[in-house]
Amino acid sequence: MSKKIRIDKLLAHMGLGTRSEIKKAVKFGKVTLAGKVIKDSGIIVDQDTSEVAFEGVPVIYRDVVYFMLNKPRGVISATEDGRERTVIDLLESQDRLREPFPVGRLDKDTVGLLLLTNDGQLAHELLSPRKHVAKTYEAIVQGNVGETDKEQFSIGVTLDDGYVTLPAVLEIIGQEEREDGTFSSISLTIMEGKFHQVKRMFEAVGKTVVYLKRVSMGPLALDESLPEGSYRELTLEEVELLRAHKRK
Ligand code: URA
């Protein structure tokens, strides 16, 4: 069934700018409908059949979706798996139909922010090693994390395969003595995403991560009101933040 939509909403949905940027673009005659320049950014079009073009380039409507999931333990960051439950299994069936996939991976036992989308281009940009998208994690680490680790992480540590990490920001939140030793609460921001990176960085300094949660990725912060295992669509503001970040 075809769907009616305001032209500025359609263009914003397709990532061509914010609603106010699009309003300006319309004013400057950059948007055409069936080959004719339009003057009204509130004009209603059919998302599937109207011939809309932006700066002369046809705009093909796609149903892009962005979900923020608070990933629980015990599910894997994949779209399908013969044996294990995946993050896609946590979605309602109508959301699965839109074929979102996870942007990057969190380990099976890692919790927290995972973006799911069917926007391949945005996912690609967020994962590109060239873009150095910051990811912040909170963790509980077995061992006494201290100033030396902070300095080490700020320079870069050598992982088990010889790779030297980019500078990372380690903050020590607290320390707790338990029967089985000292445990440190920390936050760590890294600008890359090597396999098991956070766990391997602590292994490199002789410590073990026992709990790991991602709290942000680029400009997107985990909505702490989302219980583990729940998800919601990103707000328009969040989508715009991600898109602006991508353009950087
Ligand atoms: N680093 C890890 O070690 N595990 C994750 O899931 C994410 C980052």
Side-chain angles (χ1 to χ4, degrees):
M1 196 185 66
S2 60
K3 207 170 147 204
K4 306 288 179 207
I5 184 172
R6 277 174 67 114
I7 199 162
D8 55 355
K9 201 164 172 206
L10 180 142
L11 293 167
H13 181 78
M14 295 314 301
L16 291 158
T18 60
R19 291 279 276 272
S20 64
E21 284 166 350
I22 284 159
K23 219 172 171 173
K24 261 191 215 145
V26 167
K27 228 172 157 180
F28 285 110
K30 292 184 179 177
V31 179
T32 56
L33 178 60
K36 288 206 179 75
V37 170
I38 59 156
K39 288 285 164 225
D40 175 7
S41 55
I43 208 166
I44 304 292
V45 295
D46 184 301
Q47 70 186 24
D48 298 318
T49 59
S50 294
E51 282 173 46
V52 178
F54 188 87
E55 295 181 335
V57 181
V59 176
I60 310 298
Y61 182 86
R62 275 186 309 131
D63 184 21
V64 282
V65 284
Y66 305 91
F67 297 120
M68 172 189 294
L69 168 71
N70 187 355
K71 180 191 170 296
R73 291 173 84 94
V75 292
I76 62 167
S77 302
T79 45
E80 48 185 58
D81 189 275
R83 287 179 305 132
E84 309 259 20
R85 274 208 333 144
T86 74
V87 288
I88 301 300
D89 294 328
L90 300 172
L91 304 183
E92 309 256 340
S93 52
Q94 75 267 22
D95 292 333
R96 275 203 294 269
L97 284 177
R98 297 154 99 183
E99 301 189 324
F101 55 86
V103 179
R105 282 167 188 273
L106 290 179
D107 297 337
K108 190 174 169 184
D109 60 354
T110 301
V111 300
L113 176 65
L114 189 64
L115 175 65
L116 303 168
T117 183
N118 54 6
D119 182 343
Q121 209 193 337
L122 185 101
H124 178 76
E125 298 277 343
L126 286 171
L127 295 174
S128 161
R130 280 182 304 107
K131 294 271 171 165
H132 299 308
V133 173
K135 282 153 289 238
T136 300
Y137 295 86
E138 288 176 358
I140 299 178
V141 179
Q142 184 160 27
N144 196 344
V145 178
E147 290 304 314
T148 322
D149 301 312
K150 229 169 141 166
E151 269 163 44
Q152 273 287 298
F153 280 21
S154 73
I155 304 165
V157 287
T158 308
L159 302 183
D160 45 12
D161 58 359
Y163 177 79
V164 181
T165 58
L166 289 175
V169 180
L170 174 62
E171 282 172 35
I172 301 161
I173 299 166
Q175 233 115 32
E176 196 190 338
E177 293 300 331
R178 297 189 200 162
E179 265 177 23
D180 48 346
T182 306
F183 289 81
S184 310
S185 305
I186 62 95
S187 125
L188 179 65
T189 301
I190 57 175
M191 311 298 283
E192 52 194 338
K194 302 280 170 213
F195 188 58
H196 297 325
Q197 179 155 347
V198 176
K199 292 175 185 164
R200 288 164 71 213
M201 285 176 78
F202 279 100
E203 269 163 30
V205 294
K207 298 175 177 87
T208 309
V209 172
V210 295
Y211 169 84
L212 188 59
K213 173 183 182 179
R214 181 155 67 191
V215 293
S216 72
M217 181 178 189
L220 193 63
L222 176 66
D223 178 345
E224 294 284 353
S225 72
L226 273 181
E228 279 179 20
S230 301
Y231 69 102
R232 65 158 171 80
E233 251 186 269
L234 293 196
T235 62
L236 199 56
E237 288 74 29
E238 287 168 331
V239 174
E240 279 173 4
L241 277 175
L242 279 179
R243 286 174 173 163
H245 200 76
K246 182 187 104 173
R247 286 196 287 268
K248 268 196 214 157

